[in-house]
Amino acid sequence: MNNNLSNNSTLIDCTLRDGGYYTNWEFESDLIERYIDAVYVAGVDFIELGFRSKNKNGYYGPLAFTKENFINNLNINHPIRLAVMLNISEIQREENVKEYINELFPIPAKDSRISLVRIATKYSDLNMAIKAGKYLKELGFLIAINLIYISSVNDQELVDFGEKSNSISPDALFIGDTTGTLLPEKIRNIINKLKTHWKGEIGIHAHDNMHRALHNTLEALKNGVSWLDSTVQGMGRGPGNTKTEELVFEIKNIDDKNIDFLPLIDLVQNDFYELKKKYKWGSNPFYYLSGKNEIHPSYIQKMLEDKSYRNEDIYASIKQLRNKNRVNYDFKELNYSRNYYNEESNGVWSPESVFSDKEVLLIAPGKSIDIHNKAIIDFINKYSPIVLALNLLDNINDSLIDFRIACHPIRIFSDLNIYKALHQPLIIPKKQLNNFSSNKLEFPILDFGLTVKEETFEFNKKSCITPKPLVMAYALAMLNSGKSKKIYCVGFDGYKEDDPRHIEVNIIWDTYFKCKNIVDTISLTKNSYRIPKESIYYYL
C-alpha cells in the first residue's frame, strides 16, 4: 500500500454503534474503555460511539442514545475524536428539524466530547438530511452525510446527492453499501458520478455479505475515497462490516512509533472472539445470497435469530424477497407469510374422498429416511398405505409417493416449477394462496382450507385449524378431517432438546394428542418428540 495515500485517509470505527444491533446497544464500561484505547493506538481517527435518538419504544442500552452524561462518565485519556449517528428517518417533517436537533444536542460542539455527527439518510429523505446538517454545522459540529442503500441509487441521484450537499459543505459524504452488493466497477461509477459536482471528501461504509468489505474499502481508497469505516472483528448488523484490524494492518505502518497493534489484537482474540461466538455475526451463505440479490441484511438476521425458521424457510424467503425489491427492511413483509392464515378460510375439497378409513404413511424429510430407506420401501410394498409426503421431500423414490402437502406460501410459490414437474396432486390451502400471489398454480391441486389459532386443532370437512402454520400440523389435521384409519409417521427426527424449534414442534404434538377421538398416530422411526413409537422393523 502506498503510504502517502494511506496517510491521507481518515479512519472511523463504529463498532459500538453498528455492533449494538446485536447487543441492544449495551456493552460493559470496562470493555468500552479498553476498546477505545485499543483502536486509538492502532491509528483510528474517530470512534462512533452510538446513535443519538429519541426513540423510546422498547428498551435499548445507553449507546442507542449516547447522551452527554454517559460519555462524560467514560474514562477516556487521549484525544481521540468521538462521533454519533443520527437517523434522519426519525424526523417526521422538515419544519421539526431544528426542534428535534436541539433536543438531541442540548449543548454546542465546543462544550461536547462529540465532534462529528453522521446523518444516515435514504435518497428520498436527502433534503431533510441537508437541513439537519446545516443546523448541526451552525452548532459547531463536523458533519458527514451517509447515503444508505447505495446500490439502489441511480446515476442521476448520485449526481444530485453531490450537488445538493454543496449547499452546506459537509466534511464528508459517505456511501453506505447496505446490502453488501457493490462490485469494483460499481464503486468506481458511484465515485465518478458523485464527483460531478462534489469536490469534497468521500467516505465508504462497506458490508461483508459477499466477503468483499475490505476489498471494496481499499478499492474505494484507490479511487479517491479518504474516509474509511470499519468495526472490530467486523461486528455489525447482519454479516458485519470491514474489519478494523485488517484495515489498519493494510494502511498503517507497523514500524510507525505512534502505532501499536497489540492492544487491538488482544481485544480481537479475547473479548470480541467471545462476543462473536455469542452473537454469531459475519457472512454465511444466506447473507451472501442476500447481497447477491440486493436484499436488506436485517431480513436474514431476523430469520437466523428466530430458530423456528429452517434453512429451507430462509432460502424460500430470499427467493420471494428478491422479486419484491426489498432493499429496505420491512418487518411486516417478513412476517406476512407467517400471519397469513389468521383469517378463517374454507377449501373446496374434502379429504374423506381419498383418506376415509385408509392407512396413511406420512413422510417428513428427516435423515432417518436415508438410514431406513429400504425398510420404508418394504413397508410400502407390503402394506400399500397411501403415501403422503411433506413439501418437496426428495429422499425417497418419487414413484412411491401418492400425494404431497404444503402450506408455506413463500415456499410454495418459490418452488412452483418443481411442483409442476411432479406427478402427485398437491394438497394446499389454495384460496388464501391465490390472494398471496398472482402466480398461477398450473398443476393438480386439492384445496383444503387452513386457519391458524394458538393452541387449537380443529378438523372440519373441507378445512382445519392448527396452532402453527407448519406443514406437519396441517397434514395431521387434514388426515383427521379425512377420517383416516391410521397414521404412520417416518422421518420426523426432531432437533436438539435446547433448540427452540424442538420445543415449538413438541408443543404442537402435545396439543394434537390432547384432542379427542384423533386418528391413531404412531412413529415408525426414531425421533426426539413426544410421539408414540413403534419400530418399522416389527412390521417387516
Side-chain angles (χ1 to χ4, degrees):
M1 176 62 65
N2 184 315
N3 283 330
N4 290 329
L5 180 61
S6 67
N7 286 338
N8 292 327
S9 61
T10 300
L11 303 188
I12 300 181
D13 185 288
C14 57
T15 303
L16 304 181
R17 194 269 305 166
D18 215 344
Y21 284 102
Y22 283 101
T23 68
N24 207 27
W25 293 278
E26 285 191 296
F27 293 85
E28 294 180 2
S29 296
D30 177 62
L31 175 59
I32 294 174
E33 292 167 359
R34 285 187 288 109
Y35 147 78
I36 293 173
D37 291 341
V39 297
Y40 174 69
V41 298
V44 168
D45 301 289
F46 283 91
I47 288 176
E48 189 172 72
L49 285 173
F51 285 103
R52 274 285 167 94
S53 173
K54 289 174 58 183
N55 182 13
K56 62 180 181 180
N57 296 322
Y59 174 79
Y60 301 101
L63 295 169
F65 312 99
T66 326
K67 294 190 175 183
E68 297 292 333
N69 61 342
F70 174 81
I71 299 171
N72 292 335
N73 285 327
L74 294 174
N75 184 22
I76 305 175
N77 298 314
H78 38 66
I80 195 165
R81 290 174 286 181
L82 303 181
V84 292
M85 178 170 279
L86 166 65
N87 265 327
I88 203 65
S89 60
E90 291 187 6
I91 305 178
Q92 300 301 315
R93 297 193 302 272
E94 277 194 47
E95 56 266 30
N96 294 339
V97 167
K98 285 190 176 182
E99 177 185 352
Y100 196 91
I101 288 175
N102 282 334
E103 291 184 41
L104 288 180
F105 298 88
I107 61 177
K110 65 182 180 65
D111 299 320
S112 173
R113 280 290 274 123
I114 297 297
S115 56
L116 169 68
V117 180
R118 294 206 293 178
I119 304 169
T121 182
K122 295 182 288 189
Y123 180 80
S124 59
D125 294 328
L126 181 57
N127 290 337
M128 185 106 69
I130 288 173
K131 186 170 182 178
K134 180 180 180 181
Y135 186 56
L136 284 162
K137 282 187 72 73
E138 291 174 9
L139 296 177
F141 293 100
L142 301 173
I143 296 300
I145 299 179
N146 288 36
L147 187 59
I148 59 178
Y149 308 119
I150 199 68
S151 62
S152 65
V153 178
N154 65 42
D155 287 353
Q156 186 56 54
E157 289 169 339
L158 287 166
V159 172
D160 293 344
F161 177 39
E163 183 175 20
K164 290 179 179 179
S165 298
N166 275 322
S167 64
I168 63 167
S169 300
D171 297 277
L173 300 182
F174 272 77
I175 55 176
D177 185 16
T178 308
T179 56
T181 303
L182 295 184
L183 295 170
E185 57 270 24
K186 179 70 171 178
I187 292 172
R188 292 191 290 270
N189 179 70
I190 290 170
I191 294 168
N192 288 334
K193 295 301 179 184
L194 193 51
K195 285 182 174 180
T196 303
H197 298 291
W198 174 252
K199 306 306 176 186
E201 302 288 308
I202 300 174
I204 184 170
H205 175 84
H207 281 199
D208 207 28
N209 301 60
M210 304 174 74
H211 313 290
R212 292 177 179 151
L214 178 63
H215 178 79
N216 285 347
T217 299
L218 297 177
E219 180 68 25
L221 179 62
K222 292 176 186 176
N223 286 275
V225 168
S226 55
W227 289 57
L228 310 177
D229 203 322
S230 64
T231 60
V232 176
Q233 268 278 273
M235 187 179 191
R237 180 163 52 179
N241 314 297
T242 303
K243 295 180 175 67
T244 295
E245 58 272 21
E246 294 178 357
L247 184 60
V248 296
F249 295 165
E250 285 284 348
I251 70 174
K252 298 295 182 180
N253 191 334
I254 195 172
D255 295 322
D256 186 335
K257 64 180 181 180
N258 297 314
I259 295 294
D260 185 359
F261 293 147
L262 185 57
L264 179 56
I265 292 171
D266 286 341
L267 191 77
V268 168
Q269 295 292 84
N270 299 322
D271 301 275
F272 280 82
Y273 175 77
E274 293 301 321
L275 286 173
K276 191 168 186 178
K277 280 203 304 183
K278 179 178 181 180
Y279 294 109
K280 298 179 175 61
W281 71 83
S283 193
N284 60 38
F286 293 127
Y287 283 124
Y288 195 101
L289 275 175
S290 72
K292 185 76 173 175
N293 292 283
E294 298 191 28
I295 296 168
H296 197 290
S298 286
Y299 285 111
I300 310 302
Q301 182 175 331
K302 294 299 182 184
M303 286 189 283
L304 290 173
E305 289 173 351
D306 184 347
K307 296 302 183 182
S308 66
Y309 277 91
R310 294 143 177 88
N311 283 348
E312 58 267 30
D313 296 327
I314 300 174
Y315 179 62
S317 294
I318 290 172
K319 292 175 73 175
Q320 184 73 9
L321 289 165
R322 73 188 176 96
N323 296 320
K324 295 194 172 186
N325 189 29
R326 289 303 171 197
V327 172
N328 298 325
Y329 176 65
D330 184 351
F331 179 79
K332 293 179 181 178
E333 181 67 32
L334 181 61
N335 284 277
Y336 182 53
S337 64
R338 296 199 141 197
N339 298 325
Y340 195 68
Y341 296 111
N342 286 352
E343 295 183 4
E344 290 191 16
S345 177
N346 289 317
V348 298
W349 171 74
S350 171
E352 282 189 63
S353 61
V354 173
F355 296 100
S356 180
D357 203 34
K358 298 291 177 60
E359 294 187 342
V360 179
L361 182 65
L362 180 60
I363 308 181
K367 291 182 179 179
S368 60
I369 299 299
D370 298 320
I371 297 171
H372 306 293
N373 196 275
K374 185 178 184 304
I376 293 169
I377 293 172
D378 289 345
F379 181 89
I380 293 171
N381 290 332
K382 183 174 181 178
Y383 294 98
S384 301
I386 297 177
V387 179
L388 176 65
L390 303 186
N391 298 317
L392 285 173
L393 176 138
D394 61 359
N395 48 353
I396 195 164
N397 193 312
D398 183 64
S399 65
L400 298 173
I401 298 172
D402 299 302
F403 297 88
R404 293 182 184 271
I405 185 166
C407 66
H408 191 305
I410 291 176
R411 291 182 62 177
I412 292 170
F413 285 106
S414 295
D415 296 327
L416 278 183
N417 289 332
I418 302 176
Y419 280 118
K420 288 177 183 178
L422 298 173
H423 75 276
Q424 304 92 355
L426 178 65
I427 302 166
I428 56 172
K430 180 182 177 183
K431 181 179 178 181
Q432 288 163 306
L433 292 175
N434 284 341
N435 295 330
F436 181 84
S437 173
S438 60
N439 288 321
K440 293 184 178 180
L441 304 169
E442 298 172 335
F443 48 88
I445 295 296
L446 299 173
D447 178 13
F448 183 70
L450 170 63
T451 304
V452 173
K453 292 181 182 178
E454 288 291 329
E455 301 180 359
T456 303
F457 266 105
E458 189 174 304
F459 318 123
N460 304 312
K461 190 173 183 64
K462 297 180 180 179
S463 67
C464 67
I465 298 174
T466 67
K468 297 287 182 181
L470 296 182
V471 66
M472 173 206 81
Y474 179 54
L476 291 171
M478 185 278 296
L479 291 173
N480 275 269
S481 292
K483 302 187 187 308
S484 300
K485 181 178 182 181
K486 192 166 189 175
I487 303 172
Y488 297 101
C489 300
V490 293
F492 289 82
D493 297 4
Y495 306 92
K496 293 181 179 179
E497 289 192 2
D498 60 348
D499 190 317
R501 292 170 296 182
H502 173 83
I503 298 170
E504 177 186 46
V505 176
N506 245 335
I507 290 173
I508 292 173
W509 280 113
D510 289 345
T511 304
Y512 173 72
F513 284 114
K514 287 177 183 177
C515 297
K516 294 181 179 179
N517 302 319
I518 60 170
V519 174
D520 188 19
T521 305
I522 61 171
S523 174
L524 299 181
T525 54
K526 185 178 179 181
N527 61 69
S528 59
Y529 297 127
R530 293 186 286 267
I531 316 172
K533 300 174 182 66
E534 295 179 0
S535 172
I536 193 168
Y537 295 99
Y538 169 81
Y539 289 87
L540 302 180

